[in-house]
Amino acid sequence: MAGFGFILLNLAFLFDFLFQSLVNGFIKLFTPVNFNMTYHWFPPMMHALFVVIIGLISWLVFRSKLGVLYKAIYMTVPLAVIFVTLGILLYRWPVVAYSLGSLFAIGVLYYFYHTKKPWLYYYTLILVGLAMLMVGLLGIEI
């Protein structure tokens, strides 16, 4: 499960690169201004839009008739995207980033417990949460 999740994460971050490149290319058709460098709100907005896109794709995946194993493998993507986005947006305040990440993880755990999800979902959450925690604590750049 971890191996396929790692492959999906790489594909997701390539998708993020393509998404941001397409948006930047579209903007360049109309203006020579580099929005990433000129407007401080633009890069966080791009990350937030990517979270929304992953959320919509995730909604479709989790409503599908895919098996639990496939859904648990896919779940690495939205979890990692949310953890990474929290880290990117709140990197100046590590305590806030780790606190919100922890609250998010606890909320997801509660949801899994409340809806009686299979253990594979718990495993995925713990695996991704610990991996992203290690990325943050060791200062690894994505």
Side-chain angles (χ1 to χ4, degrees):
M1 198 161 78
F4 287 117
F6 181 72
I7 291 168
L8 281 178
L9 285 178
N10 285 312
L11 292 174
F13 289 118
L14 285 173
F15 176 54
D16 185 30
F17 170 76
L18 290 173
F19 167 70
Q20 292 197 22
S21 296
L22 284 172
V23 171
N24 287 329
F26 182 74
I27 290 172
K28 286 182 183 178
L29 291 174
F30 300 102
T31 180
V33 175
N34 183 348
F35 272 50
N36 286 315
M37 301 302 282
T38 307
Y39 301 107
H40 68 280
W41 53 266
F42 189 72
M45 184 197 69
M46 292 293 289
H47 289 295
L49 278 175
F50 187 69
V51 169
V52 169
I53 290 170
I54 292 297
L56 292 172
I57 294 170
S58 299
W59 181 73
L60 293 172
V61 167
F62 290 119
R63 291 187 48 92
S64 73
K65 295 185 188 267
L66 286 173
V68 171
L69 177 64
Y70 299 114
K71 289 179 182 180
I73 290 171
Y74 173 76
M75 195 171 60
T76 60
V77 173
L79 290 173
V81 166
I82 290 172
F83 284 128
V84 167
T85 301
L86 284 173
I88 288 171
L89 297 179
L90 301 170
Y91 74 94
R92 294 181 187 158
W93 308 284
V95 173
V96 175
Y98 292 128
S99 298
L100 286 178
S102 299
L103 287 174
F104 171 72
I106 290 168
V108 172
L109 276 174
Y110 174 76
Y111 172 76
F112 289 165
Y113 178 76
H114 185 67
T115 57
K116 298 178 182 9
K117 295 294 182 192
W119 69 272
L120 288 171
Y121 289 4
Y122 292 90
Y123 174 75
T124 302
L125 175 62
I126 292 167
L127 181 70
V128 172
L130 288 176
M132 292 298 115
L133 179 63
M134 297 306 294
V135 164
L137 291 175
L138 296 175
I140 299 170
E141 293 185 18
I142 296 177

